[in-house]
Amino acid sequence: MNPSFPEISKIPFEGPSSRNPLAFKHYDSAKVIEDRTMAEHLRFSVAYWHTFRNILSDPFGAGTAIRPWDDGSNSVENACHRARVAFEFIEKLGAPFYAFHDRDVAPEGASLAESNRNLDAVVKVLKEEQQRTGIKLLWATACLFTHPRFAHGAATSPNADVFVYAAAQVKKAIEVAHELGAEGYVFWGGREGYSSLWNTDMKREVDHLAKFLHMAVDYKKQIGFQGDFYIEPKPREPTKHQYDFDAATCLNFLREYGLLEHFKLNLETNHATLAGHAMHHECEVAAAAGALGSVDANTGDELIGWDTDQFPTSLYLATQVMLTILKMGGFTKGGLNFDAKVRRESFEPVDLFYAHIGGMDVFARGLKIAAAIRADGRLAELVKNRYASWDVGIGAAIEAGQEDFTSLEKHALSQPDPVQHTSGRQELFENIVNELI
Ligand code: XUL
Ligand code: CO
């Protein structure tokens, strides 16, 4: 096959003083930080749907993307060719993983059986390319939101036949993930929610979603798929309200329905902000429950209200995410998947390289800064000191479960009322972070 990016060779690491736009300044895959290489810490993944299927349209205008390798048709042949181009791109970039929806990689057919055959044909190419390059599948998923049949949801559709169809589609997608040795499988329910509560039996729909996921868990066990299952929270868009609203809502749902041991979360920055949270908050909520599985690394726009899915560029964001990930001991099967698209004006193929290089470099810097913050130790010390009263005396006794309201009342009456506690020193914390950035 003739190369589709002939003028671009493997992106090298050239260090911070390089001015080569097609080189990494910070992502040095083999550099060891806290006992793992950067590649092992960061586990970067290219999102097939944005990088190879997004034509860069928006609600007001047509697609602008120039993709000379793509004939624009819905043929299986075009899909197979596109898959080979994708691997040329990912290999030149030097990302170790990719991720896809079933319908990104292969065209939907006139029936489920035909869609399955189309998928099998492309999976054959993906498998060959994985073997040729060593690039692995971070996770796969099923697209249960584009086709009109899913207008009212998939697992939460009021129509049982749609639930059945979705189950068959997910069964096939899990088989494909298994066949390709995927590290994970994602459930993102863009249409699992409602636009109006007047017409919705919410309890029944959520019960159905849990049933659906239990069946998926059973099938995973049946075929011996070893990858992790993830739920990806998002509060809205395209529905007004999505049931997987945010990390805390997902954890509550998983716990309520006995699914917590089978799922972790795949957290996405832009979804966190749509839910009114900082990504750091979402990471801490998931990590506290031992459920931070993987990250969709992107960012929103401060002025545009929707899920713009831009490539991450903020050092603060990358540092915060990497601090939580280092604290939890690193990813196991998850990674940093760029669920991100170039903007509509960045329509040339080379922009795909610039975007990913920027995202990889910002997370490499985030990793270095997070490790520096940990090595410096001042932040951890300040946090520890804030809670020092819990390490001794009555605090330690409460933590040890030795006290009750009666004993605490006795204790409170036996000593002077507490006065204002030590300062929170937020500004000092921020100054130390800025010092190390
Ligand atoms: C949509 C989104 C999805 C999921 C996978 O907002 O993030 O692409 O990551 O279905
Ligand atoms: Co996502």
Side-chain angles (χ1 to χ4, degrees):
M1 192 181 95
N2 289 331
S4 293
F5 308 97
E7 70 293 357
I8 296 172
S9 38
K10 177 111 206 253
I11 305 300
F13 167 70
E14 293 185 355
S17 60
S18 166
R19 292 293 171 263
N20 175 2
L22 289 168
F24 294 114
K25 319 295 183 300
H26 298 275
Y27 179 59
D28 181 3
S29 59
K31 185 182 166 67
V32 174
I33 290 175
E34 291 198 18
D35 298 333
R36 286 190 194 194
T37 65
M38 274 195 167
E40 287 163 347
H41 275 292
L42 299 165
R43 294 168 64 84
F44 289 125
S45 158
V46 173
Y48 205 96
W49 54 101
H50 280 313
T51 299
F52 291 97
R53 299 313 311 276
N54 200 322
I55 58 169
L56 306 184
S57 60
D58 70 16
F60 299 92
T64 58
I66 299 171
R67 305 289 182 255
W69 56 83
D70 199 309
D71 68 15
S73 80
N74 228 1
S75 73
V76 173
E77 202 190 0
N78 188 32
C80 289
H81 177 66
R82 189 194 291 124
R84 296 202 192 274
V85 175
F87 274 82
E88 181 195 334
F89 172 84
I90 302 166
E91 200 180 14
K92 285 183 168 171
L93 181 67
F97 294 100
Y98 73 118
F100 65 75
H101 302 79
D102 49 2
R103 303 294 179 253
D104 310 330
V105 289
E108 172 119 22
S111 65
L112 180 61
E114 190 183 325
S115 298
N116 287 349
R117 281 195 298 277
N118 293 348
L119 187 54
D120 286 336
V122 182
V123 164
K124 201 164 157 280
V125 177
L126 295 173
K127 200 169 179 182
E128 276 170 27
E129 290 294 300
Q130 285 188 200
Q131 275 158 3
R132 182 182 68 75
T133 59
I135 292 162
K136 295 204 248 166
L137 182 56
L138 188 70
W139 50 261
T141 185
C143 176
L144 303 178
F145 45 89
T146 301
H147 193 281
R149 73 172 63 86
F150 299 123
H152 308 278
T156 63
S157 173
N159 182 335
D161 291 331
V162 173
F163 180 105
V164 173
Y165 184 100
Q169 190 179 328
V170 167
K171 174 179 176 288
K172 177 70 180 172
I174 295 171
E175 286 162 15
V176 161
H178 186 39
E179 163 90 11
L180 293 173
E183 304 272 300
Y185 184 92
V186 163
F187 293 83
W188 174 66
R191 308 244 177 228
E192 313 292 23
Y194 58 80
S195 292
S196 165
L197 265 182
W198 294 121
N199 73 357
T200 302
D201 185 336
M202 184 158 80
K203 168 87 171 92
R204 205 166 180 187
E205 291 197 1
V206 178
D207 283 352
H208 293 167
L209 180 59
K211 273 208 163 54
F212 191 94
L213 296 177
H214 270 293
M215 289 184 208
V217 169
D218 291 344
Y219 191 64
K220 174 189 178 195
K221 284 188 198 149
Q222 192 183 318
I223 64 172
F225 175 52
Q226 296 298 315
D228 280 345
F229 270 0
Y230 308 116
I231 303 254
E232 182 175 328
K234 186 175 182 182
R236 67 187 72 84
E237 201 203 284
T239 53
K240 173 168 112 170
H241 177 93
Q242 195 175 309
Y243 295 133
D244 299 329
F245 196 92
D246 61 2
T249 311
C250 286
L251 290 169
N252 179 59
F253 163 81
L254 291 169
R255 209 172 269 124
E256 182 178 353
Y257 288 95
L259 286 159
L260 194 53
E261 64 180 298
H262 306 294
F263 284 84
K264 290 182 178 174
L265 303 183
N266 178 41
L267 300 174
E268 176 167 327
T269 314
N270 209 162
H271 298 180
T273 48
L274 286 173
H277 299 308
M279 179 60 166
H280 199 189
H281 166 93
E282 289 293 83
C283 290
E284 288 288 310
V285 169
L292 205 181
S294 202
V295 168
D296 271 4
N298 66 10
T299 193
D301 182 278
E302 279 174 23
L303 300 180
I304 303 177
W306 70 72
D307 191 17
T308 55
D309 280 349
Q310 288 161 213
F311 276 82
T313 54
S314 160
L315 284 179
Y316 290 103
L317 166 73
T319 301
Q320 289 165 344
V321 170
M322 292 318 298
L323 267 177
T324 306
I325 287 169
L326 289 178
K327 186 169 69 178
M328 75 171 192
F331 286 121
T332 47
K333 298 192 177 193
L336 295 171
N337 174 52
F338 291 114
D339 190 350
K341 58 179 178 248
V342 287
R343 276 156 283 189
R344 190 165 177 267
E345 303 88 335
S346 304
F347 44 70
E348 292 181 25
V350 71
D351 293 308
L352 297 173
F353 279 95
Y354 295 146
H356 285 86
I357 290 169
M360 289 163 81
D361 261 349
V362 83
F363 266 92
R365 285 181 82 176
L367 169 61
K368 287 195 278 189
I369 297 161
I373 289 173
R374 282 156 62 87
D376 174 85
R378 273 177 294 165
L379 279 195
E381 189 62 24
L382 281 166
V383 173
K384 192 173 178 323
N385 290 344
R386 257 194 110 209
Y387 296 88
S389 64
W390 291 91
D391 295 333
V392 290
I394 192 71
I398 296 169
E399 282 196 352
Q402 292 159 356
E403 304 293 333
D404 57 24
F405 265 18
T406 309
S407 68
L408 293 184
E409 182 192 46
K410 200 165 153 226
H411 188 90
L413 292 171
S414 72
Q415 58 169 30
D417 292 353
V419 287
Q420 198 171 341
H421 185 55
T422 328
S423 164
R425 307 219 188 289
Q426 284 94 324
E427 293 77 10
L428 174 61
F429 277 79
E430 286 157 0
N431 293 353
I432 294 171
V433 170
N434 276 353
E435 217 179 279
L436 296 166
I437 269 186

